[in-house]
Amino acid sequence: MLENNEEKVEKPITEKQTKTNEETENAVNEVENEVANESEKADEKHEIPMLDYASMELEKLVDELKKLLKSHPIQQLKSNVDAIKTAFNSKFGALLAKKKGAFLADGGNSIDFQFSSPVKTEYNNLLGEYKAKRDAYYSQLEKKLKENLDRRNNLIEELKSLIKTADSKTMYNDFQEIQNRWKSIGAVPKTKYNDTWRTYHHHVERFYDLLHLNKDFRELDFKHNLEEKLRLIERAEALNEVEDVNVAFKELQELHRMWKEDIGPVSREHREDVWGRFSEATKKIHDRRHQHYRELKSKHQEMIDAKLAVAAEISAYDTSNNKTHNDWQKSIAEIEKLRKKYFDIGKLPYSKSEAVWQEFKVATKKFNTAKNAFYKEEKSSQNENLKKKMELVELAESLKESEDWSETTNTMKRIQADWKKIGHVPRKFSDDIWKRFKNACNHYFDRLHARKNEQNKEQLAVVETKKEFIEQIKTAEISNEEDVEKTLADWRALGALPRNARYLDEKFNKAMDAHLDKLDMSRIDIEMMKFKGVIDTYLSQEDYRKLDSEQFFIRKRIDETVREMQQLENNLSFISNATEDNPLVQNVRNGIQEFKDQLDLWQEKLDYLRRLDY
């Protein structure tokens, strides 16, 4: 393809030159067609990350589709949406088959099978939204491309009219104004791109060739354009050294666009030379690119074999020993490495990749089926664990303000131990329920510790006060029953002793015994007064276990006393010939009387205990 249109004296052209020219022209035309394609699709270029949609669940795929529609221009979404559609249809098809299989297994008729899914409904709505926006965009784009084409054709007509009728004083300014408007017009249909540009460029050259009245302007433009085109040529020639031929080819397309869109013609004497150099540089990159794809094609079988080997390795991967979440996480990481290895091997043409891809999908599906089965069971187990832990949370929260310290403390310790025995719960609930449980437990135990700290201070004061009181009563005047009652009441009023200081009760009782023994009271009255002092101490300490033990002990002593007394009475019945003044008879009768006295004392103690309200 030649840019200039002046007539030339033809020279004989050899067959070799003809072939070379054809190859160069073909190379240039291929690049030019790519430039035309890219110009129409400029707004569709994107760098949206291509996620591993095949491994996502249906709900996640819907979320990703929703994000794409919300975050990116509609014209940039095709590749990602197509990948989501493939993954969703595959997974939903499998789900549908499973549901239908269960329906038929339960005795249903195939024609009656129906299955609706909220996630499918949402997916269809989003897909409908995507299609509507996409159709609206491309309808608008088609309209815009046609409008741009009409505007460019109108500018060509203006340029032709300018060449024919323009005033020499204003034509250069008018021409520059047409050029600026041409550059501001957007893309046109790719099928019209090259023809429209060639027509426009033809008339631009005509204009410059006829611009003899403004030679200074023409020569200045020619010089500027030559400098710019030589820079593009140098950049094109340097691309031959770029290692990545695809990067070089993309840059070459941009250079062709700039050559056509941004830079005007050069003088006749340079037109053929600069275009020849640019075309030759283009052919070199074009040839390298074709050679690259020829070499890549020769490596396709090697790549296919490597990819199939990875697929086989995934298919043979053993998951039979995976029993826990951690086991599966390790396996997932290993499979992900194999997946990366598969993709790192390289990209195959669609015609060669489909069969390999199917092998890879079957292999990964086998692994994913085993993984999903485990996590489905795990999910069921985790939901049951969640239910158990929620019951513990609610129990802990209901007890956190309790003041039944002994019972609640035991319960709190028990449910904390139960919590540890329950397994994992779904991750999305884990943090929240743990925070609620921990807060409830901490709240209760903080209150318990604060109470104990306060009690410790109070109990320490009670201990010191009672020690002083014991010393005081050792020398006190206690001469009658009223004094005893008052002293006992004062002792109890000082407060309950902590468990580790209960020995002071024994000291107090001994100190009181010394006073009681001096009083003019019956033995039973003295014993009952001592007994009441001990029992009332237990009662003030709320030591109900000791009260129960005391009652059990007294009942046992009563039974033993009755048996021993009955035994003596029985023995007495065998002494039939002895008189009442017989020492043996008197001894037995005295023993029976002692047991009766003891029995009265034990019975009175038991009656006192029964009258207590505890």
Side-chain angles (χ1 to χ4, degrees):
M1 183 183 74
L2 297 176
E3 285 190 60
N4 60 320
N5 296 279
E6 63 177 314
E7 295 182 1
K8 301 183 185 307
V9 177
E10 295 188 5
K11 297 179 181 180
I13 301 175
T14 65
E15 183 178 346
K16 182 178 181 180
Q17 288 175 320
T18 301
K19 183 178 179 182
T20 301
N21 290 340
E22 287 177 356
E23 290 176 350
T24 302
E25 186 172 350
N26 289 337
V28 171
N29 286 339
E30 185 171 330
V31 175
E32 297 283 281
N33 289 334
E34 289 288 343
V35 173
N37 288 334
E38 291 297 319
S39 69
E40 185 176 308
K41 298 190 295 184
D43 290 341
E44 298 181 28
K45 296 178 182 178
H46 65 93
E47 293 182 359
I48 302 175
M50 182 62 71
L51 306 180
D52 183 10
Y53 298 117
S55 66
M56 295 181 183
E57 298 300 327
L58 293 173
E59 291 81 0
K60 180 64 173 174
L61 289 170
V62 169
D63 288 342
E64 289 300 323
L65 181 55
K66 192 183 300 181
K67 288 179 186 176
L68 289 173
L69 289 172
K70 183 178 180 180
S71 306
H72 301 280
I74 200 71
Q75 66 272 21
Q76 298 179 0
L77 304 183
K78 185 178 186 307
S79 297
N80 295 74
V81 171
D82 286 347
I84 289 177
K85 285 167 59 179
T86 300
F88 189 95
N89 291 339
S90 174
K91 289 184 179 294
F92 189 78
L95 175 63
L96 197 62
K98 182 179 178 181
K99 294 291 184 182
K100 186 173 182 180
F103 176 77
L104 297 177
D106 289 340
N109 193 319
S110 178
I111 197 171
D112 297 326
F113 174 72
Q114 291 182 339
F115 176 68
S116 60
S117 166
V119 71
K120 174 64 171 172
T121 301
E122 186 177 7
Y123 168 76
N124 288 340
N125 291 338
L126 291 172
L127 203 58
E129 179 185 345
Y130 165 73
K131 290 178 179 178
K133 288 182 176 180
R134 180 198 62 188
D135 292 345
Y137 168 78
Y138 283 110
S139 175
Q140 183 63 30
L141 177 62
E142 183 178 2
K143 179 181 177 183
K144 184 65 175 176
L145 292 174
K146 188 176 182 305
E147 289 176 354
N148 290 343
L149 178 62
D150 291 340
R151 290 172 64 194
R152 292 204 173 195
N153 285 333
N154 289 337
L155 279 181
I156 291 172
E157 292 303 317
E158 286 187 38
L159 181 56
K160 288 163 65 176
S161 177
L162 176 64
I163 294 171
K164 185 175 180 180
T165 63
D167 184 343
S168 59
K169 295 181 181 179
T170 61
M171 63 186 301
Y172 187 75
N173 290 335
D174 293 341
F175 171 72
Q176 285 188 314
E177 195 269 337
I178 289 174
Q179 279 190 310
N180 291 333
R181 286 161 60 196
W182 178 273
K183 291 177 182 179
S184 68
I185 298 173
V188 300
K190 61 186 178 182
T191 56
K192 301 293 185 180
Y193 178 82
N194 286 322
D195 288 343
T196 305
W197 178 80
R198 289 190 183 99
T199 303
Y200 172 73
H201 197 67
H202 167 72
H203 292 296
V204 168
E205 287 186 337
R206 283 185 59 211
F207 174 81
Y208 274 101
D209 290 343
L210 296 174
L211 195 61
H212 57 279
L213 296 177
N214 291 282
K215 184 176 180 180
D216 291 340
F217 286 131
R218 180 181 65 179
E219 294 302 325
L220 189 61
D221 261 4
F222 280 163
K223 180 181 179 183
H224 171 74
N225 293 341
L226 178 60
E227 290 172 352
E228 292 299 313
K229 288 195 171 184
L230 288 174
R231 289 192 184 94
L232 292 188
I233 291 169
E234 290 172 358
R235 287 174 60 181
E237 290 172 342
L239 291 177
N240 201 40
E241 303 301 322
V242 175
E243 184 175 350
D244 189 331
V245 70
N246 288 320
V247 171
F249 187 75
K250 188 170 290 188
E251 175 69 12
L252 181 65
Q253 288 176 263
E254 176 61 14
L255 297 182
H256 271 261
R257 187 201 64 77
M258 293 169 64
W259 185 284
K260 299 172 75 169
E261 298 286 347
D262 299 342
I263 305 174
V266 298
S267 61
R268 287 174 179 245
E269 62 193 89
H270 296 297
R271 286 175 191 171
E272 186 171 346
D273 289 339
V274 294
W275 177 247
R277 281 184 61 187
F278 191 57
S279 299
E280 181 61 26
T282 297
K283 183 177 182 299
K284 288 180 180 179
I285 302 302
H286 175 270
D287 290 346
R288 276 187 62 207
R289 183 166 178 260
H290 275 260
Q291 179 61 26
H292 167 74
Y293 283 113
R294 280 194 294 271
E295 291 174 357
L296 193 60
K297 187 176 181 180
S298 68
K299 293 180 180 178
H300 284 165
Q301 189 57 48
E302 182 181 335
M303 293 168 65
I304 289 171
D305 293 341
K307 284 177 177 281
L308 288 175
V310 175
E313 191 173 353
I314 294 175
S315 180
Y317 190 88
D318 184 14
T319 61
S320 60
N321 293 324
N322 286 3
K323 306 299 182 186
T324 67
H325 170 71
N326 287 338
D327 292 338
W328 276 102
Q329 288 303 302
K330 290 176 183 177
S331 293
I332 290 169
E334 290 170 3
I335 291 297
E336 190 56 38
K337 288 179 182 177
L338 291 173
R339 283 174 51 81
K340 185 176 185 302
K341 182 178 178 182
Y342 177 91
F343 290 112
D344 286 348
I345 290 169
K347 193 172 183 180
L348 290 166
Y350 180 81
S351 60
K352 297 182 180 293
S353 67
E354 186 60 21
V356 181
W357 176 246
Q358 290 303 322
E359 288 285 332
F360 178 72
K361 280 177 63 178
V362 169
T364 52
K365 184 178 180 181
K366 178 183 175 184
F367 174 82
N368 288 333
T369 300
K371 178 194 71 175
N372 293 340
F374 170 81
Y375 279 106
K376 182 178 180 181
E377 184 177 344
E378 182 79 357
K379 185 176 181 181
S380 174
S381 173
Q382 288 186 356
N383 285 333
E384 185 62 29
N385 292 341
L386 176 63
K387 181 180 177 182
K388 293 178 182 177
K389 286 195 171 183
M390 280 303 302
E391 290 173 355
L392 296 184
V393 168
E394 291 168 2
L395 178 57
E397 290 178 338
S398 71
L399 294 174
K400 68 179 185 178
E401 299 293 347
S402 172
E403 294 190 358
D404 184 359
W405 302 105
S406 177
E407 183 66 24
T408 303
T409 299
N410 291 334
T411 302
M412 281 293 197
K413 289 179 178 179
R414 176 180 59 78
I415 64 178
Q416 284 182 325
D418 291 345
W419 182 279
K420 294 176 181 178
K421 296 175 185 176
I422 301 173
H424 294 292
V425 302
R427 186 179 297 273
K428 62 181 177 180
F429 300 112
S430 178
D431 290 344
D432 288 342
I433 64 169
W434 166 242
K435 190 178 294 183
R436 285 178 60 185
F437 183 71
K438 182 178 69 172
N439 288 345
C441 292
N442 287 348
H443 180 81
Y444 172 77
F445 284 108
D446 287 346
R447 290 178 58 237
L448 177 64
H449 294 150
R451 178 177 179 274
K452 284 184 175 180
N453 290 338
E454 190 61 34
Q455 282 183 331
N456 288 340
K457 294 177 184 177
E458 294 174 359
Q459 288 174 349
L460 187 60
V462 169
V463 169
E464 294 302 320
T465 304
K466 285 201 168 188
K467 282 182 179 179
E468 293 175 3
F469 189 77
I470 291 171
E471 295 302 318
Q472 292 172 8
I473 65 173
K474 286 180 180 179
T475 57
E477 286 293 330
I478 300 176
S479 56
N480 54 49
E481 189 174 347
E482 289 76 13
D483 291 341
V484 172
E485 293 290 350
K486 182 178 183 306
T487 304
L488 291 174
D490 290 345
W491 174 260
R492 289 193 296 270
L494 293 177
L497 288 166
R499 191 174 299 275
N500 61 357
R502 297 282 171 85
Y503 67 91
L504 292 178
D505 285 328
E506 295 297 326
K507 284 191 171 187
F508 172 74
N509 290 333
K510 287 181 180 180
M512 287 299 297
D513 287 347
H515 290 289
L516 291 172
D517 291 340
K518 298 175 182 178
L519 295 180
D520 184 18
M521 295 173 64
S522 68
R523 187 178 64 84
I524 290 179
D525 288 342
I526 291 173
E527 284 295 326
M528 280 303 299
M529 190 165 288
K530 290 179 181 180
F531 177 75
K532 289 178 181 179
V534 172
I535 296 303
D536 290 348
T537 298
Y538 292 159
L539 194 62
S540 67
Q541 294 171 348
E542 297 182 354
D543 196 341
Y544 305 125
R545 185 176 61 82
K546 282 194 175 182
L547 289 171
D548 290 338
S549 296
E550 193 70 30
Q551 188 170 161
F552 176 78
F553 173 75
I554 291 172
R555 289 180 183 277
K556 183 178 177 182
R557 292 297 296 148
I558 288 174
D559 291 341
E560 290 174 351
T561 302
V562 169
R563 283 198 301 272
E564 290 176 0
M565 186 174 67
Q566 288 174 343
Q567 181 64 44
L568 287 178
E569 288 175 344
N570 187 51
N571 292 342
L572 187 63
S573 67
F574 287 106
I575 310 175
S576 57
N577 298 324
T579 60
E580 287 296 324
D581 58 352
N582 186 297
L584 180 59
V585 172
Q586 289 181 353
N587 189 44
V588 172
R589 290 192 182 282
N590 290 336
I592 291 172
Q593 187 59 47
E594 285 181 11
F595 281 127
K596 285 183 178 180
D597 293 341
Q598 288 178 15
L599 188 61
D600 290 342
L601 179 60
W602 290 122
Q603 191 61 53
E604 190 171 347
K605 287 181 178 181
L606 182 61
D607 291 343
Y608 182 76
L609 281 171
R610 285 174 174 171
R611 290 195 297 272
L612 297 178
D613 183 17
Y614 71 92

